[in-house]
Amino acid sequence: MRRSTRPFGTSSPGSSAKDASVLSAAAYAAPQARVRARRSGLLTDAAWRGLLEATSSGELATAFEATPYASDVVGDEVGIEHALISRVAQGGHALLRSLQGRPRDLVAWYLRRFDLDNLKTVLRTIHHHQDRERARALLLRFEGSTLDWEALLDAGSIAVLIDRLRATPYARPLELALERYQEEQLPFYLEVSLDLAFFQRLVRLTERLGGTDRRQTERLLGFWIATRNLLWAYRYRVYARMSPEEIVNYTLHRAYAVDVAAVRRVATGAPISEEARRVGVDIPAELAPRDALARFETLARRALFARAQSSFRGWLFHLGAVLAYLVLLETEVRDLITVVEGKAQGLAATELASRLIREVPGVRA
Amino acid sequence: MFVPERMQEVNLFVLADDIEPVTETLARLGALHLQEVQPEAWAPSAEWAEVALKGRALAQRLERLLGLLGLPTADAPPAARLRPDADVKQYEAEVTVLEARIADLQAEQANNERRIRQLEAACPQVEALLPLAVPVELLRELRHMHLTIGTVPTINLARLGEALFQIAYVLVPIHTEKDRTLLFAAASHQDAAVLDRALSSAFFEPITLPLEVAGQPDEALQALRARLDEARGRRDELEEARRRLAEELGPRLSTLWRQLEGDTVLAEAMRRFARHGRVYLIAGWVPETRLDEVGRAVRAAAQGQLVIESLPPSLTRKDVPTLLRTPRWLRPFEGLVSIFGLPAYRELDPTLFAAIAFLLMYGMMFGDLGHGLLLALLGLWLARRGFGYGVVVAAAGASGALFGLLYGTAFGLSLMEPLWLAPTHQIQTLLLSAIVGGVVLLNLGFLLNLVGTARVRDWPRFFLDKNGLLGIALYWTLLGGGLLVVLGRLAPGLWLALLAPLGLALWLHHPVRLRLSGNRTEPFGEALVTGFFELFEALIGFASNSLSFVRLGAFAVAHEGLSQVVLRYGGGSTGWLVLLLGTLLIVVFEGLIVGIQTLRLEFYEFFGRFFEGTGRPFAPLSLEGGRDETVGVRM
């Protein structure tokens, strides 16, 4: 078989038509229909312009009224962010029912990152002895979760929390880091152990897919995992000033374009522009590390967004469409959060537009 | 048997003075599935949250004490009256006293166990040093090397090696136990900090070689082993002391634990009740058959000072819990259904149909008198050993034996005249029969869907769903009409003309109803596109679901073929071994595969027509294990 000479994850979505079959069409008919229909419900450029150009809270509220998110943008900024991100969790869960087999396993696990976010909230609440009511309000609404959040919030200590998670895949990673956490009293160790276990399993589930499903998943999730890994490595180096050996231990070793060799290069001082270029993201070499990191994060999100948009070209019936829709939805929600925060700070429409992941043409200042 | 137990929604308005006895009465009855409600102007009963937390903490402390004394926690509900608020305050001091009595023994046991672990961990370390023949104390003063010993999560071992890419190092895994590996790690002194950081970030837990270990490794090892024997001897003495203490304190600890567990269950429940001034609202679901019993008991507990409201759930309620009424003889098959899901309250319970279909399909695929009887015996043996599905396996084996009579085969031999047909000689008849059987089962699924939707008066689904009347009409026009076209008894044009309006109706009914109703929750365009693909899926599904049943016949043929192969190679001096292993392979392996295929047909082809299995189990407030969340809970 001839091997592709394209760089990582850049195969065009239409190139997989050879794998297309009536079977995949039958398997993905319903999810594809749902995805296409839901995608048509994402905000239009006009709706985005309306939001960006609103000059008062009243105008912003009116602009939101014309979107499906009107009921989410009430209350304080934290509440709004929480409600909007919960939309992604619910959207993903709604699509899950139409999937079967390994693709379903993968998407179900991918959605468990909302469980992970909630678990981190619980960990921090217990560690800092924070108010449970406040934590309860911060938990994302995720119907796919099978955890008893009330019982977890009531755990009182991390050891009891782990005990209550015994029958779940989260207990073991937490247990591995428990002693280190108890010694240093830093929830970071618990969180990093959870993250590593989550992403390692996500990679394994991706590898269990075959054909177009696998290629499309690698193209989207593989890119996302790789850029996350790169971001972790740089954050550990730039913000936490960790040693190379710690950076290598706290990152993924098999994350597609960002493997252990890449992590080592980052750990030993490789500039971010160089590593970013390897995953297909160009940032100027002259930027200071912290600025470069922020720039990379934004550009990586934009690159993922572009990949997701292009997934809707060519052969339709594969898992990529489902994942791409989830990326688009999450991008939309993240951009909406940026709009809400930016408006609160009084940013001008053009300034705000430049901070979004998506492009909004024709925005007036 | 065909529908879950009927439920009544119950609201109890109870005065604050009576809330504890009423809740206790409900918990002892185990007949109320609680639901959280918060009417306007009512507040949550936060005052019980603290009691619940304290009660849970005390119960956990007692559980720990029971564990330390090697005593089990009893399942029986508490005998004495429960008063969560007063009990928690009253027993706290007593628990502390009991803890103090056990603490000394516990501390000594823990120290001794730590020492045993330390010595046990030190032995292989010193053993590994035997070839060196250098005094152990010198290793602590290594001038050019930093050596550390400990355990690391086995999954992190490879990561650790990668993390040490900047230095020269040695990692020697000694042995792995559970999921941790005992590891020797060494590097030069100048790289010690790097090694320690890498180990620490790989969640390494160091073990320190006791200072008392000294001398040549062989002498040190001998001394270590002597100390280990001594520590193990002490363990026996401490164990005897623990046994005596357990005899003395066990009964009281058990009583207290049961009491506080019960108190905690009540407090946990009460904190979820809504409260308005001095009145609590307890809301939940009670099986209709136990409504009077619950009413009498709570009235007695509150001395008549409470208000009880009960009403049947409306047809649209989705949160009503499910309590199945499966007869005892059918219960083994309930497990087959619960693999798929628990019936929702308004759904039909398909256990009886599932059992009959399972046995018929299994028997048809595994038809052989000898193999069937062997499988039945295996099932009975499993059932006697407490394996939940043993009875199902035995029944499946019996069905296989029955079909063996119909096929005239035993252990692959044609020993008798088939009562119906011989699979390998009448393949076409067998395959056609399989499809006909499948069509019958699919139509039973359609029929059950009609009954289920009629029960909840969901007329759009009854008439217009792909599994409703419209779907049935389309199915029969597609398959029946298709057959007539093939046989030349129907003109293809007429067939298509019949199919077209049905297909259009199935595609367009949902978007059109959406538009007419003015419902804007789902965009018209979305419904139109989704509807088209669902029609496409339904058409493919009708054909593929029906043809899917061909496997019933194909497996029957394969079974006989496999048996023939075993018989063919069963001659000669080692023939008995081939026969034995072959038969074992057929009964266990093929039996399992046929089981999986049967479940697949049942779940996807049959259940898919009418059953969603989205029910919530009826989990009553109970003092026996708290709120039981297991499927199929029964009173």
Side-chain angles (χ1 to χ4, degrees):
Chain A
M1 194 171 73
R2 196 164 64 87
R3 289 177 69 88
S4 167
T5 52
R6 287 170 179 275
F8 156 75
T10 54
S11 63
S12 82
S15 67
S16 52
K18 271 183 269 176
D19 301 320
S21 67
V22 176
L23 281 179
S24 69
Y28 281 108
Q32 180 62 234
R34 290 200 171 91
V35 162
R36 295 244 152 201
R38 282 171 186 272
R39 181 175 166 242
S40 67
L42 294 174
L43 298 188
T44 60
D45 285 342
W48 278 107
R49 275 195 295 275
L51 291 169
L52 290 169
E53 290 170 0
T55 51
S56 65
S57 55
E59 272 185 39
L60 187 64
T62 310
F64 265 115
E65 280 300 323
T67 74
Y69 301 104
S71 59
D72 300 321
V73 287
V74 286
D76 61 0
E77 276 181 30
V78 177
I80 292 172
E81 184 176 340
H82 170 266
L84 286 172
I85 295 176
S86 294
R87 282 268 188 169
V88 186
Q90 306 298 52
H93 184 65
L95 286 177
L96 194 61
R97 284 193 70 174
S98 57
L99 293 170
Q100 289 174 358
R102 290 178 178 181
R104 183 191 167 94
D105 293 345
L106 178 113
V107 176
W109 185 254
Y110 171 67
L111 293 174
R112 282 202 183 210
R113 66 204 180 91
F114 298 107
D115 256 356
L116 224 62
D117 285 345
N118 284 342
L119 259 184
K120 288 177 187 174
T121 304
V122 174
L123 285 172
R124 287 170 207 161
T125 303
I126 293 174
H127 174 77
H128 296 293
H129 306 290
Q130 284 168 341
D131 178 28
R132 287 199 296 275
E133 285 304 320
R134 182 179 161 274
R136 200 169 285 125
L138 289 176
L139 294 179
L140 298 170
R141 286 192 303 276
F142 173 38
E143 278 175 26
S145 181
T146 52
L147 300 182
D148 181 351
W149 293 105
E150 285 300 318
L152 297 180
L153 277 171
D154 282 348
S157 75
I158 300 294
V160 175
L161 176 77
I162 294 175
D163 208 42
R164 291 184 183 180
L165 287 166
R166 188 66 57 202
T168 73
Y170 310 118
R172 195 65 204 125
L174 290 173
E175 223 162 31
L176 291 180
L178 182 63
E179 181 152 325
R180 187 85 199 276
Y181 161 76
Q182 284 171 335
E183 266 171 30
E184 302 197 20
Q185 287 298 306
L186 286 174
F188 165 77
Y189 302 114
L190 299 168
E191 292 182 13
V192 85
S193 189
L194 270 179
D195 277 335
L196 288 178
F198 171 79
F199 280 98
Q200 281 163 347
R201 183 153 171 184
L202 193 60
V203 171
R204 283 200 300 276
L205 286 170
T206 305
E207 287 168 351
R208 282 175 56 200
L209 297 173
T212 315
D213 279 351
R214 178 163 174 177
R215 278 195 298 280
Q216 290 293 325
T217 306
E218 286 179 353
R219 194 173 155 272
L220 290 164
L221 287 196
F223 179 77
W224 176 64
I225 294 168
T227 50
R228 283 285 292 251
N229 203 31
L230 199 56
L231 271 171
W232 284 341
Y234 273 107
R235 282 182 189 151
Y236 294 151
R237 193 182 94 192
V238 174
Y239 292 110
R241 297 187 182 282
M242 283 185 188
S243 64
E245 50 282 2
E246 286 173 311
I247 294 174
V248 174
N249 264 337
Y250 294 145
T251 44
L252 298 167
H253 291 186
R254 286 171 56 230
Y256 302 100
V258 183
D259 58 6
V260 69
V263 173
R264 282 174 173 178
R265 287 195 299 272
V266 174
T268 47
I272 189 164
S273 55
E274 208 173 89
E275 292 304 319
R277 199 171 307 118
R278 288 177 196 265
V279 294
V281 177
D282 281 325
I283 53 173
E286 63 277 9
L287 287 176
R290 289 182 183 221
D291 296 335
L293 199 52
R295 189 67 168 271
F296 172 69
E297 191 168 357
T298 307
L299 293 183
R301 280 189 172 165
R302 282 184 186 158
L304 182 63
F305 179 66
R307 283 173 184 238
Q309 281 187 312
S310 66
S311 292
F312 289 91
R313 291 199 292 269
W315 177 248
L316 309 174
F317 301 97
H318 50 70
L319 182 58
V322 176
L323 296 171
Y325 168 72
L326 290 177
V327 170
L328 296 183
L329 180 62
E330 181 155 0
T331 306
E332 176 158 297
V333 155
R334 300 256 170 222
D335 278 345
L336 285 173
I337 293 168
T338 307
V339 169
V340 172
E341 288 171 354
K343 289 288 172 191
Q345 293 164 21
L347 294 181
T350 45
E351 167 65 16
L352 200 45
S354 71
R355 296 189 182 191
L356 301 186
I357 297 163
R358 61 167 294 140
E359 267 185 59
V360 185
V363 177
R364 292 187 301 261
Chain B
M1 180 162 70
F2 296 108
V3 290
E5 182 97 23
R6 289 171 72 165
M7 292 282 162
Q8 286 276 327
E9 188 174 18
V10 172
N11 292 320
L12 302 172
F13 296 89
V14 184
L15 291 174
D17 293 342
D18 300 325
I19 192 66
E20 285 182 297
V22 168
T23 311
E24 181 182 356
T25 304
L26 289 168
R28 287 192 190 275
L29 281 174
L32 176 75
H33 177 109
L34 287 175
Q35 62 172 345
E36 280 186 58
V37 291
Q38 203 72 70
E40 209 174 313
W42 289 64
S45 311
E47 67 277 18
W48 292 106
E50 202 58 36
V51 178
L53 213 59
K54 280 186 182 162
R56 172 67 57 215
L58 282 176
Q60 277 173 353
R61 282 163 69 185
L62 284 165
E63 206 170 319
R64 193 176 139 268
L65 294 181
L66 284 164
L68 287 172
L69 294 180
L71 296 169
T73 50
D75 279 338
R81 204 191 132 188
L82 297 170
R83 298 161 306 154
D85 195 21
D87 286 354
V88 164
K89 286 174 190 151
Q90 182 190 334
Y91 295 133
E92 191 164 12
E94 189 177 349
V95 172
T96 309
V97 170
L98 287 167
E99 270 177 338
R101 286 206 57 192
I102 298 169
D104 290 345
L105 177 69
Q106 183 215 346
E108 198 179 347
Q109 271 191 317
N111 282 339
N112 195 56
E113 287 304 314
R114 198 175 306 120
R115 181 162 170 74
I116 290 173
R117 274 202 306 278
Q118 216 171 30
L119 292 168
E120 281 175 343
C123 281
Q125 293 174 38
V126 178
E127 262 172 28
L129 300 176
L130 283 175
L132 288 179
V134 214
V136 175
E137 57 272 26
L138 286 185
L139 291 176
R140 293 199 189 92
E141 296 151 17
L142 289 173
R143 212 177 290 169
H144 301 292
M145 191 190 268
H146 171 72
L147 175 71
T148 183
I149 302 155
T151 65
V152 68
T154 308
I155 53 163
N156 283 357
L157 207 51
R159 307 178 65 77
L160 184 57
E162 298 285 2
L164 291 166
F165 65 104
Q166 286 187 304
I167 61 167
Y169 66 92
V170 178
L171 296 179
V172 185
I174 305 293
H175 78 281
T176 299
E177 199 175 316
K178 288 183 184 166
D179 47 10
R180 295 191 80 89
T181 298
L182 177 67
L183 183 73
F184 275 40
S188 68
H189 273 302
Q190 68 189 43
D191 292 330
V194 175
L195 179 66
D196 288 345
R197 275 197 303 269
L199 287 170
S200 161
S201 54
F203 304 133
F204 176 84
E205 291 169 14
I207 296 170
T208 320
L209 207 59
L211 283 172
E212 59 195 298
V213 179
Q216 286 293 336
D218 54 346
E219 295 162 7
L221 188 60
Q222 220 172 352
L224 269 179
R225 283 179 179 154
R227 281 176 206 137
L228 188 57
D229 288 342
E230 196 183 308
R232 283 176 179 154
R234 181 69 189 137
R235 175 195 269 166
D236 294 339
E237 288 168 21
L238 291 170
E239 180 56 24
E240 180 54 27
R242 183 203 60 75
R243 202 184 53 74
R244 282 196 301 272
L245 203 58
E247 272 175 14
E248 185 194 337
L249 301 181
R252 182 61 186 154
L253 283 171
S254 268
T255 306
L256 275 182
W257 180 79
R258 288 208 307 263
Q259 189 78 5
L260 282 162
E261 272 287 307
D263 285 330
T264 310
V265 169
L266 298 197
E268 287 279 2
M270 289 189 287
R271 70 175 235 188
R272 290 182 164 84
F273 298 162
R275 184 175 184 172
H276 190 284
R278 294 194 61 244
V279 180
Y280 282 88
L281 167 59
I282 305 176
W285 299 97
V286 173
E288 209 169 73
T289 50
R290 298 194 65 186
L291 199 59
D292 290 343
E293 181 193 359
V294 169
R296 276 196 305 275
V298 293
R299 271 198 193 90
Q303 292 163 337
Q305 293 196 323
L306 86 169
V307 176
I308 306 178
E309 260 179 19
S310 71
L311 63 160
S314 68
L315 286 174
T316 52
R317 285 292 287 267
K318 299 277 185 204
D319 57 346
V320 190
T322 301
L323 177 63
L324 297 180
R325 294 188 298 182
T326 315
R328 195 178 171 77
W329 57 270
L330 195 56
R331 277 184 202 161
F333 291 91
E334 203 177 283
L336 291 183
V337 178
S338 68
I339 296 174
F340 187 89
L342 184 71
Y345 179 67
R346 296 284 178 194
E347 266 191 304
L348 295 176
D349 176 5
T351 309
L352 178 65
F353 304 108
I356 294 171
F358 180 86
L359 293 179
L360 286 176
M361 289 193 287
Y362 195 98
M364 192 168 178
M365 287 196 266
F366 199 74
D368 184 294
L369 182 61
H371 295 146
L373 288 176
L374 276 183
L375 188 66
L377 288 175
L378 177 69
L380 289 176
W381 178 76
L382 289 171
R384 282 178 68 92
R385 310 268 303 186
F387 178 63
Y389 290 107
V391 176
V392 177
V393 174
S399 173
L402 198 66
F403 270 87
L405 285 175
L406 296 176
Y407 296 157
T409 57
F411 295 111
L413 295 165
S414 300
L415 292 179
M416 59 211 132
E417 199 59 34
L419 296 177
W420 178 30
L421 52 73
T424 46
H425 295 109
Q426 289 156 282
I427 292 178
Q428 207 175 351
T429 313
L430 184 66
L431 296 184
L432 274 174
S433 307
I435 295 178
V436 170
V439 169
V440 170
L441 194 65
L442 287 180
N443 279 275
L444 178 62
F446 283 133
L447 190 68
L448 291 175
N449 186 54
L450 292 183
V451 174
T453 47
R455 277 191 77 226
V456 292
R457 296 182 200 133
D458 186 351
W459 301 120
R461 274 184 64 205
F462 181 90
F463 287 109
L464 300 171
D465 189 70
K466 70 175 177 184
N467 294 317
L469 279 180
L470 183 58
I472 299 173
L474 187 63
Y475 177 83
W476 278 107
T477 312
L478 185 75
L479 293 194
L483 191 65
L484 291 176
V485 169
V486 170
L487 295 173
R489 296 194 184 166
L490 183 69
L494 181 59
W495 181 51
L496 290 175
L498 287 169
L499 273 177
L502 293 169
L504 277 174
L506 191 59
W507 173 20
L508 296 175
H509 74 87
H510 178 59
V512 169
R513 277 194 301 126
L514 209 65
R515 176 50 63 93
L516 292 178
S517 67
N519 186 338
R520 291 282 178 272
T521 51
E522 189 181 355
F524 180 72
E526 175 174 337
L528 208 58
V529 177
T530 307
F532 176 74
F533 280 100
E534 278 178 356
L535 168 67
F536 176 65
E537 195 186 11
L539 290 175
I540 291 180
F542 285 159
S544 68
N545 293 156
S546 306
L547 291 176
S548 197
F549 286 89
V550 167
R551 76 188 68 205
L552 294 177
F555 266 88
V557 175
H559 181 87
E560 199 174 325
L562 197 61
S563 307
Q564 304 275 343
V565 171
V566 172
L567 287 175
R568 183 170 175 179
Y569 292 100
S573 58
T574 55
W576 63 272
L577 189 65
V578 174
L579 280 177
L580 185 72
L581 290 178
T583 305
L584 205 66
L585 186 83
I586 289 172
V587 171
V588 177
F589 218 65
E590 203 207 326
L592 186 69
I593 292 170
V594 166
I596 292 167
Q597 291 296 334
T598 312
L599 280 181
R600 187 217 164 278
L601 285 171
E602 193 142 292
F603 287 173
Y604 289 106
E605 322 300 357
F606 181 46
F607 282 6
R609 302 277 143 220
F610 68 98
F611 184 55
E612 289 188 355
T614 52
R616 300 191 309 142
F618 176 77
L621 172 67
S622 166
L623 290 177
E624 292 177 23
R627 285 184 63 128
D628 193 345
E629 296 293 342
T630 51
V631 171
V633 181
R634 212 173 272 102
M635 286 179 294

